[in-house]
Amino acid sequence: MRTVTVVGASLSGLYAARELRAQGFDGRLVVVGDEPHRPYDRPPLSKDFLTGRSGEDQLALSDAEETTELDAEWLLGVRARGLDVRGRTVLLGDGRTVSTDGVVIATGASARRLPGCELAGVHTLRTLDDARALRAELAAGTRRVVVIGGGFIGAETASSCAGLGHDVTVVEAAPLPLVPQLGPEMAAVCAGLHRRGGVDLVTGTGVAGLRGTVAVTGVELADGRLLPADIVIVGIGAIPNTDWLAGSTLALHDGVLCDDGCVTALPQVVAVGDVARVGGTRAEHWTSATEQPRVAVRNLLAGHTAETVRPLPYFWSDQYGARIQFAGRRLDTDTVRITEGGVTDDAPDEGGLLALYERDGRTTAVLSVDRPRPFMRARRELGRGVTVAEAAVS
Amino acid sequence: MIPVCRLDDLPAGESVRIDTTPPIAVFNADGELYAIDDTCTHQDASLSEGWLEGCLVECPLHAASFDLRTGRPTCLPARRAVRTHRVTVDDGMVHVHVASEVLAEVAAEEEGTAA
Ligand SMILES: Cc1cc2nc3c(=O)[nH]c(=O)nc-3n(C[C@H](O)[C@H](O)[C@H](O)COP(=O)(O)OP(=O)(O)OC[C@H]3O[C@@H](n4cnc5c(N)ncnc54)[C@H](O)[C@@H]3O)c2cc1C
Ligand code: FES
């Protein structure tokens, strides 16, 4: 392979570029990214960056020294608009083309929007530019903030806004937020964090529409209520960025379909990170985006699937001063048992808690709130395929 | 010099965190004692809560690993070293000698003038 093009210049794209060099690829390396910025880290955008506790310099994923070492051509601020797999060409938005032998698709996902998103005061939170705009508005005095969506990003954003002294309401269409991720029992416990943080949580009602002519003035709920708002943050999930691949012959269905080794139907095209549906599942987790590139690049350079990746899903979230960590694969039929700490006033104890999800006497997943040590132990055991219960006995 | 705890209270494989500014983590790695700054250089996590294996500690948040002898990260996502501090045991009591950044800077400057 003489040229490899990485499309998407963020977390998984950078890790792919690193892996290409680490695994001995010494040909031409091109990285295409539609954002004007060098790779930066997204998780802090809803956390310390939004509250002002950390600045832009702390978001950088790489430095000048590494950039020199990687010896890549960075085409930033330009979108890939097509992939001609036959002609082995990446088509760019400005009309240029890149001839390439191999392609790493790392285009991630975009924030899902609502009609009315163009009103002033309405935000999504996916990019640095989004976060800058929201941070600036939050700095202009106390506001009434409505966060639509009680998922992780919604909850973290609500927590950061409350921490800055704003008056915050979270609207969640489901009866409880985070049920798909945590199951009903633990979702209920984590929902208690909002209350503890002084944030109103309105559940079980969708949003009918946004009110306002130039700037947003309120959020109209499906049950007829109107929540006055100066700032609305829409946190209703993300859509994988596959538009540019339409007509490329690659199979697309909620992501780029690939096998367990991140390889698409074409051996010279692999996909990683939030955009990749690897072996049937698409994760939107930081750790998957950093783990998949090693295997994807190995397979790309080998020309076939030489190695597969099935890492244990892991994610964390910081909200209201609590650190939530989750690892494993749970099913709705799993039972859940708190093995350390507990619940006070329907929220995690001040000292946190550890909960194990179990199926047929085996541990399938683990949740921790502020219990990093036992969580790490449990996560490692899960990763090894040993049940936590067995490990405790031996 | 800061007293940490009795050596008996820090068995092999264990760690403690002391609330200095910034906080410091002290480890007993198979009988050898090490002290480093507790906060991971990547983001906000306490290394005293990490996974200790030999002279390496793995961060509990994104699994960067640090060499306790040098403070240097051995893998991503951390790219900067943590400070290391000297540890002594007197009369069964563990003490940490905090590496002073100010002193280190002065020393470096003096070296610079001498050269
Ligand atoms: C606010 C926020 C907080 C988060 N917090 C956590 C957390 O606490 N824990 C956790 O596990 N995960 C968290 N995540 C998720 C994590 O950040 C993502 O999983 C990770 O960023 C995925 O990396 P990626 O490189 O695959 O995709 P992305 O980071 O989305 O990067 C894709 C890049 O490709 C670019 N691109 C898209 N289309 C094109 C195109 N056609 N041509 C060129 N470039 C293109 C995009 O602009 C973007 O720069 C958070 C995400 C956000 C937004
Ligand atoms: S905070 Fe330690 S690795 Fe990220």
Side-chain angles (χ1 to χ4, degrees):
Chain A
M1 240 175 232
R2 304 243 295 274
T3 302
V4 174
T5 304
V6 177
V7 186
S10 184
L11 185 66
S12 62
L14 173 67
Y15 272 72
R18 283 174 176 157
E19 281 298 334
L20 280 158
R21 290 307 189 211
Q23 295 185 31
F25 173 71
D26 60 4
R28 178 175 176 226
L29 174 55
V30 182
V31 185
V32 183
D34 65 354
E35 291 185 77
H37 315 292
R38 294 225 153 245
Y40 63 88
D41 207 21
R42 284 174 219 278
L45 297 181
S46 48
K47 308 177 180 76
D48 283 355
F49 181 76
L50 203 57
T51 59
R53 252 192 83 191
S54 71
E56 288 192 14
D57 45 335
Q58 276 136 294
L59 299 177
L61 285 168
S62 189
D63 54 25
E65 192 187 330
E66 188 188 43
T67 304
T68 311
E69 273 169 26
L70 282 178
D71 188 23
E73 290 166 44
W74 295 84
L75 306 180
L76 298 179
V78 56
R79 206 178 106 80
R81 65 171 177 83
L83 177 63
D84 175 356
V85 284
R86 283 254 195 77
R88 301 196 163 219
T89 307
V90 176
L91 314 173
L92 302 183
D94 60 9
R96 282 182 291 172
T97 56
V98 182
S99 306
T100 193
D101 306 303
V103 175
V104 180
I105 299 172
T107 45
S110 299
R112 192 186 295 274
R113 289 167 181 277
L114 275 179
C117 265
E118 59 293 336
L119 289 173
V122 181
H123 298 260
T124 53
L125 187 50
R126 178 79 202 179
T127 65
L128 175 58
D129 295 350
D130 292 344
R132 281 178 180 163
L134 179 56
R135 188 160 115 153
E137 248 175 71
L138 290 171
T142 307
R143 293 285 187 274
R144 289 168 303 179
V145 177
V146 174
V147 178
I148 302 176
F152 286 114
I153 291 180
E156 291 183 354
T157 308
S159 155
S160 296
C161 292
L164 290 168
H166 299 285
D167 171 9
V168 187
T169 305
V170 174
V171 181
E172 166 64 45
L176 255 184
L178 298 177
V179 173
Q181 292 88 350
L182 305 180
E185 293 98 330
M186 290 303 126
V189 172
C190 288
L193 292 169
H194 288 288
R195 197 176 356 91
R196 189 181 284 169
V199 166
D200 268 338
L201 176 63
V202 177
T203 60
T205 177
V207 168
L210 301 179
R211 283 273 185 92
T213 42
V214 179
V216 72
T217 55
V219 176
E220 206 178 307
L221 301 183
D223 65 8
R225 268 182 291 173
L226 180 72
L227 301 175
D230 310 304
I231 295 179
V232 172
I233 299 152
V234 181
I236 54 172
I239 306 166
N241 290 323
T242 55
D243 292 5
W244 69 284
L245 293 166
S248 67
T249 78
L250 291 178
L252 308 173
H253 178 68
D254 183 38
V256 178
L257 300 200
C258 16
D259 67 11
D260 278 343
C262 301
V263 182
T264 66
L266 301 161
Q268 74 276 22
V269 181
V270 297
V272 290
D274 282 13
V275 76
R277 177 167 281 276
V278 179
T281 42
R282 189 172 68 80
E284 287 181 5
H285 306 325
W286 188 94
T287 301
S288 320
T290 60
E291 286 178 344
Q292 290 166 352
R294 189 186 60 76
V295 172
V297 162
R298 164 131 203 255
N299 294 335
L300 178 68
L301 296 178
H304 65 275
T305 304
E307 193 179 334
T308 59
V309 62
R310 275 284 277 175
L312 195 72
Y314 163 67
F315 60 81
W316 81 98
S317 173
D318 295 337
Q319 29 184 295
Y320 306 106
R323 172 159 291 161
I324 298 171
Q325 291 175 287
F326 181 95
R329 293 185 182 87
R330 59 165 287 280
L331 292 179
D332 285 343
T333 47
D334 293 355
T335 54
V336 57
R337 183 164 62 95
I338 294 178
T339 56
E340 285 190 28
V343 178
T344 316
D345 295 335
D346 299 321
D349 278 355
E350 290 293 340
L353 63 80
L354 190 81
L356 299 181
Y357 296 78
E358 294 165 323
R359 190 185 314 152
D360 305 328
R362 308 191 120 251
T363 303
T364 54
V366 55
L367 168 74
S368 151
V369 180
D370 294 328
R371 296 261 171 166
R373 253 197 206 232
F375 174 80
M376 257 195 134
R377 201 175 313 128
R379 181 182 166 197
R380 280 177 167 254
E381 299 301 346
L382 275 170
R384 275 196 222 115
V386 184
T387 70
V388 178
E390 273 167 11
V393 173
S394 60
Chain B
M1 187 163 90
I2 301 175
V4 179
C5 62
R6 300 211 56 81
L7 182 56
D8 297 343
D9 296 331
L10 188 61
E14 289 297 320
S15 53
V16 298
R17 177 189 137 111
I18 46 177
D19 277 322
T20 41
T21 318
I24 290 174
V26 186
F27 299 86
N28 183 337
D30 303 325
E32 286 291 330
L33 299 179
Y34 298 99
I36 59 173
D37 276 354
D38 183 51
T39 309
C40 182
T41 58
H42 175 233
Q43 274 159 20
D44 191 10
S46 162
L47 293 172
S48 66
E49 312 263 27
W51 186 267
L52 186 59
E53 209 157 281
C55 320
L56 299 180
V57 64
E58 183 185 307
C59 175
L61 194 51
H62 314 116
S65 173
F66 293 89
D67 189 323
L68 296 176
R69 294 165 299 187
T70 60
R72 290 212 188 94
T74 62
C75 68
L76 291 168
R79 286 179 294 127
R80 279 177 298 121
V82 284
R83 289 188 308 165
T84 56
H85 310 280
R86 200 158 64 83
V87 189
T88 54
V89 182
D90 312 289
D91 266 346
M93 197 63 198
V94 178
H95 295 272
V96 164
H97 305 252
V98 181
S100 161
E101 272 167 324
V102 182
L103 284 182
E105 266 169 35
V106 170
E109 265 171 34
E110 277 173 3
E111 246 177 53
T113 354

